[in-house]
Amino acid sequence: MWSGTCIAAGSLDREDSLPTTPFHLGWFLGNSFGVHGWNQPWGGRDGADWAQPDLHIDLARALERACFDYLLLEDSLFVPDNWGGSMDFYLSRALRAPKNDPLPLVPLLTQATSHLGIVPTISTSFYPPYLLARLIATLDLMSDGRVGCNFVTSTAERAAQNFGLDHHMEHDTRYEMADEFVELVTRLWSSWDEDAVVIDRDAGMFVDPAKVRPIDFKGRFFASRGPLNTARPPQGRPVLVQAGGSPQGRAFAAKHMDCVIAAVSTIAEMKEFRADLRRRVTTAGRAPDACKLFFVVQPTLGETNAEALERSRRRQAHREAHPELALAQMGTLTDIDFSAFDIDAPIGELTTNGQQGTLKRFLAQGRTLREIAHNYRYGYEDLVGTPEHVAGAMVEVMQEIGGDGFMFSGPVTRRHVAEITDGVVPALQRLGAVRTAYEHRQFRDNLMAF
Ligand SMILES: Cc1cc2nc3c(=O)[nH]c(=O)nc-3n(C[C@H](O)[C@H](O)[C@H](O)COP(=O)(O)O)c2cc1C
């Protein structure tokens, strides 16, 4: 629960508390326009350029300057009507729509950078696996190994209806599909050997046919003969990411993923998540460090700690004055219309076919919806202060949880981005907590470098 105080940077000037292993950094970009702060101070041109890629390009360049591992582009496939059964709340605030498809952004962002990993989101419930395998392979080839993929099962009933279903598939079935989906696309990426493209002018051979073969995949949900009609991606298998927090989501991650992102708001939850995920990864027969875990954080910065605290207080006051914002947002993640409940009555147990991990955390924040809306955090927010103070606190948190990285999020104003990339990250670098230069050229190599 929010305490209203900065977390102490403590004893970081003591030699023995300095980090020995650096941690990783990512940025979680809420991809709908409403989160870009268009009507906030520092919101830029009041949204006039919302459809243009310039803000994303500036963001990617800033992240690369700060040696981030990757930028994740969130996505969803519906216009919500989870507040009062209407789309009005969301459309008028540009929450979740308009939202351009993130995939065309990928080559623009890789062209504007040279090392940053770019991770678009795709739905394992609605994307045809062959098309996805080809699309991601193409992007990885064009960027020389800097692309990943955030696999989501898509949780909204309205998304399912956009693809012709009356009702969405059941939560656990979606994960069974996702499991098969990833297995299939991975096999398609392997349908060409690494050295299949020979380009031998003298022999008149571009591709060695002996090094390309069908996969003849027949599963419960998908089938594909293969081979892929483009070459093996430079990373072999582009970086695989996912964020589902339910037991099924964690099992899916443990089996396949290179990186998991978690939006939890206390150190205790981070420790639990990390211990559980590493146990699951080991049980799946993989080394625990093969699957990185990044926690979503949203710091509040200021010139002084007092100024940052004041900004944080204002943010909390806004939250308390407008509980409908958190409730309507949660409605889109859980397919529950919270406007239908008494905001001051005990809420009790609820179930969802949407994001189960997220709903469970949400309901644990209080007795009534008003309490929950006041207390709920999408990620860890107890990072309030000057860049130096926040950097020190991040190092302490990471030492407490043991690894592997943080995903920054929050409003995508150029001001907020600069506070992180030109304020917090240089302070982290001075502490030796994050890299000061990329170790490798390709995305996975950097992610696995420590
Ligand atoms: C930090 C975070 C980011 C996510 N990003 C997306 C996204 O971009 N698109 C989406 O459809 N789902 C997204 N999800 C949803 C999950 O990937 C997952 O499908 C959902 O949480 C259901 O899983 P669960 O029931 O295992 O929690 C995100 C979840 C979290 C916690």
Side-chain angles (χ1 to χ4, degrees):
M1 313 256 159
W2 192 74
S3 63
T5 54
C6 302
I7 119 162
S11 51
L12 275 169
D13 39 7
R14 281 209 339 252
E15 285 247 314
D16 59 2
S17 62
L18 286 173
T20 47
T21 308
F23 51 80
H24 297 267
L25 297 176
W27 189 286
F28 177 62
L29 176 70
N31 199 28
S32 68
F33 188 68
V35 299
H36 295 181
W38 63 282
N39 55 356
Q40 304 295 318
W42 311 99
R45 291 178 49 212
D46 291 341
D49 50 0
W50 74 269
Q52 304 305 315
D54 306 58
L55 184 61
H56 298 85
I57 291 172
D58 286 353
L59 170 64
R61 287 198 170 123
L63 299 184
E64 176 152 288
R65 189 168 65 244
C67 300
F68 273 55
D69 285 82
Y70 69 94
L71 167 61
L72 186 143
L73 308 167
E74 169 266 356
D75 195 31
S76 58
L77 298 164
F78 65 106
V79 179
D81 58 356
N82 306 95
W83 189 252
S86 155
M87 297 188 289
D88 296 2
F89 187 95
Y90 303 95
L91 288 176
S92 59
R93 292 167 179 77
L95 292 174
R96 300 206 154 239
K99 179 192 295 248
N100 278 346
D101 190 321
L103 280 146
L105 262 181
V106 176
L108 297 177
L109 301 181
T110 54
Q111 281 291 100
T113 52
S114 59
H115 287 81
L116 183 71
I118 306 292
V119 180
T121 294
I122 70 95
S123 169
T124 53
S125 300
F126 304 123
Y127 226 100
Y130 189 92
L131 285 182
L132 189 275
R134 183 177 185 225
L135 180 55
I136 295 293
T138 304
L139 292 169
D140 204 47
L141 283 158
M142 291 196 324
S143 66
D144 203 6
R146 287 203 289 124
V147 170
C149 195
N150 176 32
F151 292 97
V152 299
T153 58
S154 293
T155 48
E157 193 80 343
R158 291 289 185 238
Q161 289 164 355
N162 287 338
F163 291 86
L165 302 178
D166 290 335
H167 297 291
H168 209 336
M169 291 162 279
E170 198 266 327
H171 177 272
D172 294 4
T173 310
R174 294 199 304 263
Y175 271 118
E176 287 164 28
M177 266 180 94
D179 185 69
E180 198 177 292
F181 187 105
V182 172
E183 206 171 312
L184 170 52
V185 296
T186 307
R187 287 186 54 187
L188 284 167
W189 289 328
S190 304
S191 61
W192 290 52
D193 287 346
E194 207 176 331
D195 54 354
V197 179
V198 291
I199 318 186
D200 184 337
R201 203 182 172 94
D202 296 336
M205 183 188 279
F206 198 94
V207 176
D208 181 348
K211 295 185 172 173
V212 181
R213 67 202 76 77
I215 59 165
D216 291 321
F217 184 94
K218 284 199 179 52
R220 200 173 131 211
F221 304 98
F222 306 109
S224 180
R225 178 182 181 276
L228 203 60
N229 59 344
T230 192
R232 185 185 178 93
Q235 296 181 96
R237 174 182 101 129
V239 173
L240 309 187
V241 180
Q242 85 93 39
S246 66
Q248 293 77 15
R250 294 183 189 194
F252 172 58
K255 192 167 163 195
H256 300 287
M257 296 297 135
D258 298 304
C259 191
V260 171
I261 54 174
V264 296
S265 54
T266 64
I267 293 174
E269 287 174 291
M270 294 186 211
K271 286 171 87 164
E272 181 281 326
F273 204 125
R274 182 166 153 86
D276 182 62
L277 185 66
R278 287 173 73 81
R279 187 179 49 74
R280 288 174 186 273
V281 173
T282 308
T283 307
R286 303 168 66 205
D289 287 330
C291 180
K292 306 291 186 197
L293 177 57
F294 286 16
F295 293 101
V296 174
V297 290
Q298 275 202 56
T300 305
L301 280 304
E303 301 285 322
T304 61
N305 285 345
E307 185 191 318
L309 200 53
E310 179 50 32
R311 281 178 85 185
S312 172
R313 283 206 183 98
R314 281 205 304 272
R315 193 166 162 199
Q316 179 64 13
H318 185 261
R319 208 173 241 151
E320 295 187 11
H322 297 285
E324 73 281 4
L325 285 172
L327 298 177
Q329 190 73 354
M330 190 49 54
T332 70
L333 306 180
T334 57
D335 263 345
I336 296 171
D337 188 341
F338 289 104
S339 75
F341 294 80
D342 179 347
I343 193 168
D344 291 310
I347 183 72
E349 285 297 307
L350 292 175
T351 54
T352 179
N353 192 35
Q355 296 194 15
Q356 295 185 354
T358 308
L359 179 65
K360 189 164 166 235
R361 278 204 57 248
F362 187 66
L363 294 178
Q365 304 304 310
R367 236 170 26 94
T368 66
L369 284 178
R370 192 183 300 279
E371 274 175 29
I372 293 171
H374 289 180
N375 296 330
Y376 182 67
R377 304 285 179 271
Y378 193 79
Y380 185 72
E381 292 189 16
D382 294 346
L383 297 166
V384 181
T386 61
E388 290 72 22
H389 185 91
V390 165
M394 288 179 73
V395 170
E396 287 197 341
V397 172
M398 191 49 84
Q399 283 175 337
E400 180 90 1
I401 58 181
D404 301 298
F406 292 114
M407 293 297 280
F408 287 99
S409 80
V412 188
T413 60
R414 288 177 175 88
R415 179 196 185 177
H416 179 59
V417 173
E419 284 173 338
I420 304 300
T421 58
D422 298 83
V424 175
V425 176
L428 285 170
Q429 289 172 331
R430 286 192 289 275
L431 292 171
V434 297
R435 66 162 66 87
T436 53
Y438 288 100
E439 297 79 16
H440 302 283
R441 175 130 184 89
Q442 293 191 348
F443 175 15
R444 170 178 287 96
D445 292 338
N446 286 316
L447 185 65
M448 297 301 163
F450 43 85

PDB file of all heavy atoms in Angstrom, residues 67-86:
ATOM      1  N   CYS A  67      21.567   2.588 -23.373  1.00  0.00           N
ATOM      2  CA  CYS A  67      21.978   1.172 -23.413  1.00  0.00           C
ATOM      3  C   CYS A  67      20.918   0.199 -22.901  1.00  0.00           C
ATOM      4  O   CYS A  67      21.253  -0.814 -22.261  1.00  0.00           O
ATOM      5  CB  CYS A  67      23.273   0.954 -22.633  1.00  0.00           C
ATOM      6  SG  CYS A  67      24.639   1.898 -23.247  1.00  0.00           S
ATOM      7  N   PHE A  68      19.642   0.509 -23.159  1.00  0.00           N
ATOM      8  CA  PHE A  68      18.570  -0.423 -22.790  1.00  0.00           C
ATOM      9  C   PHE A  68      18.691  -1.712 -23.602  1.00  0.00           C
ATOM     10  O   PHE A  68      19.148  -1.691 -24.744  1.00  0.00           O
ATOM     11  CB  PHE A  68      17.201   0.199 -23.105  1.00  0.00           C
ATOM     12  CG  PHE A  68      16.634   1.050 -22.004  1.00  0.00           C
ATOM     13  CD1 PHE A  68      17.341   2.107 -21.474  1.00  0.00           C
ATOM     14  CD2 PHE A  68      15.363   0.790 -21.508  1.00  0.00           C
ATOM     15  CE1 PHE A  68      16.810   2.900 -20.468  1.00  0.00           C
ATOM     16  CE2 PHE A  68      14.817   1.565 -20.506  1.00  0.00           C
ATOM     17  CZ  PHE A  68      15.541   2.622 -19.973  1.00  0.00           C
ATOM     18  N   ASP A  69      18.197  -2.810 -23.018  1.00  0.00           N
ATOM     19  CA  ASP A  69      18.117  -4.054 -23.781  1.00  0.00           C
ATOM     20  C   ASP A  69      17.042  -3.956 -24.854  1.00  0.00           C
ATOM     21  O   ASP A  69      17.281  -4.309 -26.008  1.00  0.00           O
ATOM     22  CB  ASP A  69      17.793  -5.235 -22.867  1.00  0.00           C
ATOM     23  CG  ASP A  69      18.995  -5.647 -22.058  1.00  0.00           C
ATOM     24  OD1 ASP A  69      19.247  -5.009 -21.024  1.00  0.00           O
ATOM     25  OD2 ASP A  69      19.704  -6.580 -22.484  1.00  0.00           O
ATOM     26  N   TYR A  70      15.837  -3.517 -24.443  1.00  0.00           N
ATOM     27  CA  TYR A  70      14.779  -3.515 -25.457  1.00  0.00           C
ATOM     28  C   TYR A  70      13.605  -2.605 -25.151  1.00  0.00           C
ATOM     29  O   TYR A  70      13.411  -2.166 -24.020  1.00  0.00           O
ATOM     30  CB  TYR A  70      14.287  -4.934 -25.747  1.00  0.00           C
ATOM     31  CG  TYR A  70      13.507  -5.675 -24.671  1.00  0.00           C
ATOM     32  CD1 TYR A  70      12.118  -5.644 -24.663  1.00  0.00           C
ATOM     33  CD2 TYR A  70      14.148  -6.460 -23.730  1.00  0.00           C
ATOM     34  CE1 TYR A  70      11.398  -6.376 -23.718  1.00  0.00           C
ATOM     35  CE2 TYR A  70      13.436  -7.188 -22.787  1.00  0.00           C
ATOM     36  CZ  TYR A  70      12.054  -7.140 -22.792  1.00  0.00           C
ATOM     37  OH  TYR A  70      11.340  -7.860 -21.865  1.00  0.00           O
ATOM     38  N   LEU A  71      12.876  -2.339 -26.217  1.00  0.00           N
ATOM     39  CA  LEU A  71      11.605  -1.601 -26.158  1.00  0.00           C
ATOM     40  C   LEU A  71      10.492  -2.577 -26.523  1.00  0.00           C
ATOM     41  O   LEU A  71      10.527  -3.202 -27.585  1.00  0.00           O
ATOM     42  CB  LEU A  71      11.644  -0.445 -27.176  1.00  0.00           C
ATOM     43  CG  LEU A  71      10.312   0.254 -27.499  1.00  0.00           C
ATOM     44  CD1 LEU A  71       9.693   0.900 -26.266  1.00  0.00           C
ATOM     45  CD2 LEU A  71      10.544   1.336 -28.574  1.00  0.00           C
ATOM     46  N   LEU A  72       9.520  -2.729 -25.628  1.00  0.00           N
ATOM     47  CA  LEU A  72       8.382  -3.614 -25.906  1.00  0.00           C
ATOM     48  C   LEU A  72       7.179  -2.772 -26.312  1.00  0.00           C
ATOM     49  O   LEU A  72       6.835  -1.794 -25.627  1.00  0.00           O
ATOM     50  CB  LEU A  72       8.044  -4.452 -24.664  1.00  0.00           C
ATOM     51  CG  LEU A  72       6.958  -5.517 -24.880  1.00  0.00           C
ATOM     52  CD1 LEU A  72       7.293  -6.783 -24.086  1.00  0.00           C
ATOM     53  CD2 LEU A  72       5.583  -5.026 -24.462  1.00  0.00           C
ATOM     54  N   LEU A  73       6.560  -3.132 -27.439  1.00  0.00           N
ATOM     55  CA  LEU A  73       5.393  -2.400 -27.942  1.00  0.00           C
ATOM     56  C   LEU A  73       4.138  -3.200 -27.607  1.00  0.00           C
ATOM     57  O   LEU A  73       3.862  -4.226 -28.237  1.00  0.00           O
ATOM     58  CB  LEU A  73       5.492  -2.221 -29.463  1.00  0.00           C
ATOM     59  CG  LEU A  73       6.808  -1.619 -29.988  1.00  0.00           C
ATOM     60  CD1 LEU A  73       6.914  -1.792 -31.495  1.00  0.00           C
ATOM     61  CD2 LEU A  73       6.908  -0.151 -29.617  1.00  0.00           C
ATOM     62  N   GLU A  74       3.421  -2.751 -26.615  1.00  0.00           N
ATOM     63  CA  GLU A  74       2.181  -3.434 -26.201  1.00  0.00           C
ATOM     64  C   GLU A  74       1.163  -3.388 -27.339  1.00  0.00           C
ATOM     65  O   GLU A  74       1.245  -2.534 -28.216  1.00  0.00           O
ATOM     66  CB  GLU A  74       1.666  -2.707 -24.943  1.00  0.00           C
ATOM     67  CG  GLU A  74       0.280  -3.061 -24.476  1.00  0.00           C
ATOM     68  CD  GLU A  74      -0.803  -2.146 -25.017  1.00  0.00           C
ATOM     69  OE1 GLU A  74      -0.505  -1.149 -25.709  1.00  0.00           O
ATOM     70  OE2 GLU A  74      -1.970  -2.462 -24.764  1.00  0.00           O
ATOM     71  N   ASP A  75       0.181  -4.290 -27.324  1.00  0.00           N
ATOM     72  CA  ASP A  75      -0.884  -4.204 -28.337  1.00  0.00           C
ATOM     73  C   ASP A  75      -2.144  -4.919 -27.863  1.00  0.00           C
ATOM     74  O   ASP A  75      -2.096  -5.783 -26.982  1.00  0.00           O
ATOM     75  CB  ASP A  75      -0.415  -4.842 -29.652  1.00  0.00           C
ATOM     76  CG  ASP A  75      -1.333  -4.448 -30.805  1.00  0.00           C
ATOM     77  OD1 ASP A  75      -1.898  -3.330 -30.765  1.00  0.00           O
ATOM     78  OD2 ASP A  75      -1.515  -5.253 -31.736  1.00  0.00           O
ATOM     79  N   SER A  76      -3.260  -4.511 -28.438  1.00  0.00           N
ATOM     80  CA  SER A  76      -4.522  -5.247 -28.237  1.00  0.00           C
ATOM     81  C   SER A  76      -5.360  -5.057 -29.495  1.00  0.00           C
ATOM     82  O   SER A  76      -5.028  -4.236 -30.347  1.00  0.00           O
ATOM     83  CB  SER A  76      -5.257  -4.749 -26.992  1.00  0.00           C
ATOM     84  OG  SER A  76      -5.522  -3.372 -27.110  1.00  0.00           O
ATOM     85  N   LEU A  77      -6.445  -5.819 -29.596  1.00  0.00           N
ATOM     86  CA  LEU A  77      -7.145  -5.920 -30.879  1.00  0.00           C
ATOM     87  C   LEU A  77      -8.636  -5.613 -30.757  1.00  0.00           C
ATOM     88  O   LEU A  77      -9.473  -6.293 -31.344  1.00  0.00           O
ATOM     89  CB  LEU A  77      -6.941  -7.336 -31.443  1.00  0.00           C
ATOM     90  CG  LEU A  77      -5.490  -7.718 -31.743  1.00  0.00           C
ATOM     91  CD1 LEU A  77      -5.333  -9.223 -31.916  1.00  0.00           C
ATOM     92  CD2 LEU A  77      -4.994  -6.984 -32.983  1.00  0.00           C
ATOM     93  N   PHE A  78      -8.968  -4.590 -29.984  1.00  0.00           N
ATOM     94  CA  PHE A  78     -10.388  -4.259 -29.814  1.00  0.00           C
ATOM     95  C   PHE A  78     -10.531  -2.834 -29.270  1.00  0.00           C
ATOM     96  O   PHE A  78      -9.576  -2.277 -28.716  1.00  0.00           O
ATOM     97  CB  PHE A  78     -11.057  -5.230 -28.838  1.00  0.00           C
ATOM     98  CG  PHE A  78     -10.526  -5.143 -27.427  1.00  0.00           C
ATOM     99  CD1 PHE A  78     -11.274  -4.545 -26.422  1.00  0.00           C
ATOM    100  CD2 PHE A  78      -9.270  -5.645 -27.110  1.00  0.00           C
ATOM    101  CE1 PHE A  78     -10.780  -4.452 -25.120  1.00  0.00           C
ATOM    102  CE2 PHE A  78      -8.771  -5.546 -25.802  1.00  0.00           C
ATOM    103  CZ  PHE A  78      -9.527  -4.953 -24.814  1.00  0.00           C
ATOM    104  N   VAL A  79     -11.739  -2.288 -29.465  1.00  0.00           N
ATOM    105  CA  VAL A  79     -12.093  -1.025 -28.808  1.00  0.00           C
ATOM    106  C   VAL A  79     -12.925  -1.403 -27.584  1.00  0.00           C
ATOM    107  O   VAL A  79     -13.981  -2.022 -27.721  1.00  0.00           O
ATOM    108  CB  VAL A  79     -12.924  -0.115 -29.744  1.00  0.00           C
ATOM    109  CG1 VAL A  79     -13.303   1.180 -29.028  1.00  0.00           C
ATOM    110  CG2 VAL A  79     -12.148   0.186 -31.018  1.00  0.00           C
ATOM    111  N   PRO A  80     -12.470  -1.089 -26.378  1.00  0.00           N
ATOM    112  CA  PRO A  80     -13.191  -1.565 -25.192  1.00  0.00           C
ATOM    113  C   PRO A  80     -14.546  -0.878 -25.002  1.00  0.00           C
ATOM    114  O   PRO A  80     -14.717   0.291 -25.374  1.00  0.00           O
ATOM    115  CB  PRO A  80     -12.266  -1.174 -24.030  1.00  0.00           C
ATOM    116  CG  PRO A  80     -11.012  -0.657 -24.624  1.00  0.00           C
ATOM    117  CD  PRO A  80     -11.274  -0.308 -26.040  1.00  0.00           C
ATOM    118  N   ASP A  81     -15.467  -1.613 -24.424  1.00  0.00           N
ATOM    119  CA  ASP A  81     -16.726  -1.007 -23.940  1.00  0.00           C
ATOM    120  C   ASP A  81     -17.038  -1.578 -22.556  1.00  0.00           C
ATOM    121  O   ASP A  81     -18.153  -1.964 -22.266  1.00  0.00           O
ATOM    122  CB  ASP A  81     -17.879  -1.255 -24.924  1.00  0.00           C
ATOM    123  CG  ASP A  81     -18.127  -2.734 -25.193  1.00  0.00           C
ATOM    124  OD1 ASP A  81     -17.364  -3.585 -24.685  1.00  0.00           O
ATOM    125  OD2 ASP A  81     -19.101  -3.041 -25.901  1.00  0.00           O
ATOM    126  N   ASN A  82     -15.995  -1.638 -21.735  1.00  0.00           N
ATOM    127  CA  ASN A  82     -16.107  -2.288 -20.427  1.00  0.00           C
ATOM    128  C   ASN A  82     -16.497  -1.329 -19.306  1.00  0.00           C
ATOM    129  O   ASN A  82     -16.410  -1.683 -18.144  1.00  0.00           O
ATOM    130  CB  ASN A  82     -14.779  -2.967 -20.049  1.00  0.00           C
ATOM    131  CG  ASN A  82     -14.289  -3.912 -21.109  1.00  0.00           C
ATOM    132  OD1 ASN A  82     -13.476  -3.532 -21.951  1.00  0.00           O
ATOM    133  ND2 ASN A  82     -14.790  -5.127 -21.103  1.00  0.00           N
ATOM    134  N   TRP A  83     -16.891  -0.112 -19.626  1.00  0.00           N
ATOM    135  CA  TRP A  83     -17.321   0.837 -18.586  1.00  0.00           C
ATOM    136  C   TRP A  83     -18.714   1.342 -18.967  1.00  0.00           C
ATOM    137  O   TRP A  83     -18.863   2.059 -19.945  1.00  0.00           O
ATOM    138  CB  TRP A  83     -16.332   2.005 -18.472  1.00  0.00           C
ATOM    139  CG  TRP A  83     -16.595   2.901 -17.298  1.00  0.00           C
ATOM    140  CD1 TRP A  83     -17.098   4.173 -17.330  1.00  0.00           C
ATOM    141  CD2 TRP A  83     -16.378   2.612 -15.909  1.00  0.00           C
ATOM    142  NE1 TRP A  83     -17.206   4.686 -16.078  1.00  0.00           N
ATOM    143  CE2 TRP A  83     -16.764   3.741 -15.170  1.00  0.00           C
ATOM    144  CE3 TRP A  83     -15.893   1.503 -15.220  1.00  0.00           C
ATOM    145  CZ2 TRP A  83     -16.687   3.795 -13.775  1.00  0.00           C
ATOM    146  CZ3 TRP A  83     -15.813   1.559 -13.837  1.00  0.00           C
ATOM    147  CH2 TRP A  83     -16.207   2.687 -13.131  1.00  0.00           C
ATOM    148  N   GLY A  84     -19.707   0.850 -18.228  1.00  0.00           N
ATOM    149  CA  GLY A  84     -21.087   1.239 -18.531  1.00  0.00           C
ATOM    150  C   GLY A  84     -21.551   0.695 -19.866  1.00  0.00           C
ATOM    151  O   GLY A  84     -22.451   1.266 -20.506  1.00  0.00           O
ATOM    152  N   GLY A  85     -20.931  -0.380 -20.324  1.00  0.00           N
ATOM    153  CA  GLY A  85     -21.350  -1.014 -21.581  1.00  0.00           C
ATOM    154  C   GLY A  85     -21.175  -0.108 -22.798  1.00  0.00           C
ATOM    155  O   GLY A  85     -21.826  -0.292 -23.830  1.00  0.00           O
ATOM    156  N   SER A  86     -20.276   0.863 -22.700  1.00  0.00           N
ATOM    157  CA  SER A  86     -20.140   1.834 -23.788  1.00  0.00           C
ATOM    158  C   SER A  86     -18.669   2.061 -24.127  1.00  0.00           C
ATOM    159  O   SER A  86     -17.782   1.908 -23.271  1.00  0.00           O
ATOM    160  CB  SER A  86     -20.777   3.154 -23.331  1.00  0.00           C
ATOM    161  OG  SER A  86     -20.212   4.232 -24.015  1.00  0.00           O
TER     162      SER A  86
END
